[in-house]
Amino acid sequence: MDDLDHKILAELQGDARLSLNELSRRVNLSAPAVAERVRRLERDQIILGYHAQVDLTRAGLPVTALIQVQCYGARCLLRDPEARAWPEIRQLHRVTGNACCVLLAAVASMEAFEEFIDRIAAYGTPSSTMILSSPLPWKPVVPAL
């Protein structure tokens, strides 16, 4: 990746809905050249997709938590392909340390959270941390110094 690719990524991370014409204007490159670079960034899986950033609270999911799960062996949460489709799980990470995985969960109520924790407990020991606020909910990728 060169400086121009980083400029393209910065613009798309700021507004993924930019037209190729507007993107080309912002990075001072022709639209066909920008289109080719964007296609290459997608092909090389540097750009993985385009998403709307959603406020979970306003979308009806005000209860959010980080949950560590200590599970190993055949009944591991990471080995259950159906768990990835659970609507409560917003992110799932395999980690080092005492926990097998850490997940970000979002639900509509504390009652729903309790039901979700009970479902997770079938895989191992969950430990949850409620998210009170997110001063930095997302940050764009920038070139390493």
Side-chain angles (χ1 to χ4, degrees):
M1 285 189 34
D2 60 17
D3 287 343
L4 196 51
D5 289 332
H6 284 290
K7 287 179 184 177
I8 290 169
L9 287 178
E11 292 294 338
L12 289 175
Q13 288 177 98
D15 183 358
R17 296 175 58 184
L18 286 176
S19 69
L20 289 175
N21 285 334
E22 177 61 19
L23 181 58
S24 69
R25 187 187 67 70
R26 291 186 184 190
V27 299
N28 278 337
L29 195 64
S30 71
V34 165
E36 177 54 36
R37 281 179 175 263
V38 169
R39 277 193 297 275
R40 183 178 44 78
L41 291 166
E42 291 168 344
R43 183 193 70 230
D44 294 346
Q45 296 185 336
I46 294 166
I47 295 176
L48 298 176
Y50 301 87
H51 313 280
Q53 187 172 346
V54 176
D55 182 310
L56 293 172
T57 298
R58 291 181 183 196
L61 302 170
V63 179
T64 55
L66 295 171
I67 304 168
Q68 293 185 16
V69 185
Q70 292 180 3
C71 56
Y72 302 98
R75 192 71 182 130
C76 178
L77 181 67
L78 293 171
R79 292 194 175 131
D80 185 347
E82 292 179 16
R84 292 185 179 133
W86 293 353
E88 300 90 347
I89 297 177
R90 309 305 310 155
Q91 295 178 7
L92 178 60
H93 306 276
R94 184 177 182 188
V95 298
T96 62
N98 292 333
C100 172
C101 61
V102 174
L103 56 100
L104 173 67
V107 294
S109 66
M110 285 305 289
E111 180 182 353
F113 182 73
E114 189 174 353
E115 291 170 5
F116 180 65
I117 285 292
D118 289 344
R119 193 166 6 133
I120 292 287
Y123 294 88
T125 305
S127 175
S128 61
T129 302
M130 302 307 294
I131 297 174
L132 300 177
S133 66
S134 300
L136 183 62
W138 178 84
K139 188 175 184 176
V141 174
V142 296
L145 298 176

